[in-house]
Amino acid sequence: MIHPCSELRFISPEVGYGVFATQDIPRGTFLWVLDYFDRILTPAEVGALQPQLRTIADRYSYQAADGNFVFCWDFGRYMNHSCEPTSRGVGDAFEVAIRDVAAGEELTSEYGTLNLLTPMTCYCGAPSCRGTIRRDDAARHFEQWDEQTRTAFALSHTVPQPLLPFAKLGARDLPLMDALQAGRATWVPSSRDFHIVDVPEEVLFASGHGAP
Amino acid sequence: MIHPHTRLVAIDSVVGNGVVATRRIPRGTITWVLDELDRPLTGTEMNAMPSCYDKLIDLWTFRDGRGHRVLCWDTGRNLNHSCEPNCGGSEFWFEVALRDIEPGEQLTNDYATLYMRPSEDFACRCGSPLCRGAASHEQVPIVVAAIQKQLQLALSELTLVPQPLSGLLRADWLERARELVASNLVAASVDAVVAVGE
Ligand SMILES: [Zn+2]
Ligand SMILES: [Zn+2]
């Protein structure tokens, strides 16, 4: 579920849609949470989708750390990637704002932790743009990413969290929630641990990305 | 999935958003098909949700007559009610245009055909000359019977008009729909479900 102070806007035919803040949102705010309406698809289910639906799922779903694909029910699925994103994933269910977001600014996330099936050329325009976003980017960049996430999450108990009641917590979120409630969030799971080494064959063969 | 020649627009502050046709959609066109990205929520799944979801379930899902509340992934979930709807048939797991829908016109359902319960009666301001003023579960049998005749006609014209959603329609669903309208079973099944409170 995407933060309530946001709206969907059409950016351009090349980029498509994007999600924009309608109010200032402070660092530490959860900009998105995994919720009970989001659709979870197994690799086999993705591989068996009718072609029209497969195109949509490929574009708008991501592969979570457990290997299943998440297709967001709301316009959270239109959040674009940036190499200097407004939020980073923390735990299984949260995207936390790693800096203050100004009204009108686009909400962006890091696709490098979303287990992309194929590398993506990036045109985000950020000074530190990596040019190509790959499935295993977290393995190279996790230290910097984790530091940003840790600093932001430490502020999470000090800011309003309208999405928190809607979050569908995974196993890795329980210690996070304990820390949040105790007001001492000094530890977050590493983004490196969300990288899946194996690409599910059911999905690849059905999509024509790989052999045979 | 909703028909491609539609888009979501802001209607007004009371109604909120609605789905309007961007081109003419002739009678007999399939306007929506239940697809694999739509999510039928089971009772067990809904019970596992925190109570803050109650409102969201009421707002965004419809009953499919099989005990599920269906959450459409696209603007299929934004269709508003009209006492004179131009789309119907959700009980077949697909919908069909009951009359020609002009560009700019909203696509609508009669919520009384969606397994309405007594607690769900509401005051209607749909603006149709046929507006019932208050949509009530007691009207369900009459409403369903009236729509059934329109559905029969619309289904008979299915092959006469372009069908961009045909790739998603299952042949057995179409067969079932034709049987249901031909044998007046739609009204019976809706009646039965409403009577037992599902
Ligand atoms: Zn970039
Ligand atoms: Zn009315």
Side-chain angles (χ1 to χ4, degrees), chain B residues 3-60:
Chain B
H3 194 285
H5 300 156
T6 60
R7 67 189 186 98
L8 188 68
V9 299
I11 305 295
D12 60 42
S13 60
V14 178
V15 175
N17 294 330
V19 178
V20 302
T22 55
R23 302 185 207 172
R24 188 167 174 275
I25 299 176
R27 181 171 66 193
T29 306
I30 296 162
T31 52
W32 173 82
V33 183
L34 179 74
D35 68 43
E36 295 162 282
L37 293 177
D38 294 321
R39 188 165 166 200
L41 300 168
T42 64
T44 312
E45 285 173 326
M46 287 185 283
N47 286 338
M49 296 177 189
S51 58
C52 57
Y53 276 85
D54 294 351
K55 267 190 208 159
L56 294 179
I57 291 169
D58 282 344
L59 197 56
W60 295 118

Side-chain angles (χ1 to χ4, degrees), chain A residues 81-83 122-126 129-131 133:
Chain A
H81 164 89
S82 169
C83 295
C122 185
Y123 303 99
C124 75
C129 179
R130 306 196 295 281
I133 313 304

